[in-house]
Amino acid sequence: MSAIALYAKKTAGFDERVAHAVAVLQSAAAEHAGRIVQATSLGAEDMVITDLIARHALPIAVATLETGRLHAQTVALIPRIEQRYGLAVEVFEPAQESVVHFVKTHGERAMYESLDLRKQCCAIRKLEPLARMLAGASAWITGLRREQSDNRGGVPFSEVDDKGRVKFNPLADWSWADVWHYIAAHEVPFNPLHDEFMPSIGCEPCTRAIAVGEPFRAGRWWWEDEKAKECGLHVKDAPAVSMIGAPR
């Protein structure tokens, strides 16, 4: 069954939530002109945000992280965005020497061995490139929603991150049904892996399909404790990472 058929449903207040998300984006673009970027994960929520940016001709840059371990289906969305919307997507990759050093030292499957090693991998492949993506920016935009997990249950529409930048979460109050109703209504491109019961998609070794009744993010780092399921992108005071192998 397709994700649209499974999840899309218009619920009460949907139009108002869309209008509010647009207002958040418009205000953010005006307040941070030339210094704001959508850090898209290429997930369903972020594809909605990119569509809103393009649909309303908002001057917001779009950028993504290519960790080197993403599914081919995820990477394929980058040219689809550029062709569909005429928007350039800036791609940030991890420092190759750091990746090579980490893999040589700990192996390709290090993320399964300990939480510390998994977080080191995330730091090298995600946090350091994100720092470069946001260098010079005063604000950024994410697809965080309160419904995604207990850890994200209090996500505000805007907050200040640990570097003093404003972080906007325009879909904070949207439901999963809202996301898919919008995608269906506007024919927004999306990752076909969502049709394979992967609501939250990260790097290939760290993502699996979920079963009926499992939490939204159960397929991310499924071998870890539920409370650990963040890579650090949305955690304040995440540890710094060395360019040549993170500390043990």
Side-chain angles (χ1 to χ4, degrees), residues 40-47 50 62 64 70-85 87 89 91 188-194 201:
T40 176
S41 69
L42 304 171
E45 292 92 344
D46 281 304
M47 295 304 293
T50 300
V62 179
T64 194
L70 299 180
H71 299 80
Q73 297 93 325
T74 302
V75 178
L77 281 168
I78 297 171
R80 290 183 66 190
I81 290 170
E82 294 179 329
Q83 292 163 12
R84 169 70 180 272
Y85 300 113
L87 295 175
V89 180
V91 178
V188 176
F190 65 89
N191 193 327
L193 292 175
H194 289 307
I201 302 171

Side-chain angles (χ1 to χ4, degrees), residues 95-115:
Q96 191 61 28
E97 63 271 26
S98 296
V99 172
V100 169
H101 182 273
F102 180 82
V103 173
K104 184 178 180 180
T105 304
H106 303 293
E108 292 279 359
R109 296 175 57 82
M111 69 285 295
Y112 301 126
E113 295 179 11
S114 72
L115 178 60

Side-chain angles (χ1 to χ4, degrees), residues 35-168:
R35 301 185 66 197
I36 185 169
V37 59
Q38 182 202 1
T40 176
S41 69
L42 304 171
E45 292 92 344
D46 281 304
M47 295 304 293
V48 167
I49 292 172
T50 300
D51 186 271
L52 289 171
I53 288 170
R55 189 171 297 277
H56 296 276
L58 299 176
I60 297 172
V62 179
T64 194
L65 305 177
E66 213 298 52
T67 67
R69 298 303 301 271
L70 299 180
H71 299 80
Q73 297 93 325
T74 302
V75 178
L77 281 168
I78 297 171
R80 290 183 66 190
I81 290 170
E82 294 179 329
Q83 292 163 12
R84 169 70 180 272
Y85 300 113
L87 295 175
V89 180
E90 190 168 7
V91 178
F92 289 81
E93 299 177 347
Q96 191 61 28
E97 63 271 26
S98 296
V99 172
V100 169
H101 182 273
F102 180 82
V103 173
K104 184 178 180 180
T105 304
H106 303 293
E108 292 279 359
R109 296 175 57 82
M111 69 285 295
Y112 301 126
E113 295 179 11
S114 72
L115 178 60
D116 177 59
L117 285 176
R118 195 272 288 172
K119 288 189 174 183
Q120 286 185 44
C121 187
C122 287
I124 291 168
R125 294 181 184 273
K126 294 183 177 181
L127 299 189
E128 190 278 326
L130 180 73
R132 282 186 275 118
M133 178 195 293
L134 299 181
S138 59
W140 54 307
I141 298 166
T142 84
L144 294 183
R145 295 184 300 111
R146 296 166 190 160
E147 188 186 71
Q148 288 169 337
S149 69
D150 289 343
N151 289 340
R152 298 179 178 184
V155 168
F157 290 110
S158 67
E159 56 189 314
V160 177
D161 71 13
D162 60 336
K163 303 300 182 184
R165 292 177 294 250
V166 182
K167 179 177 170 184
F168 292 95

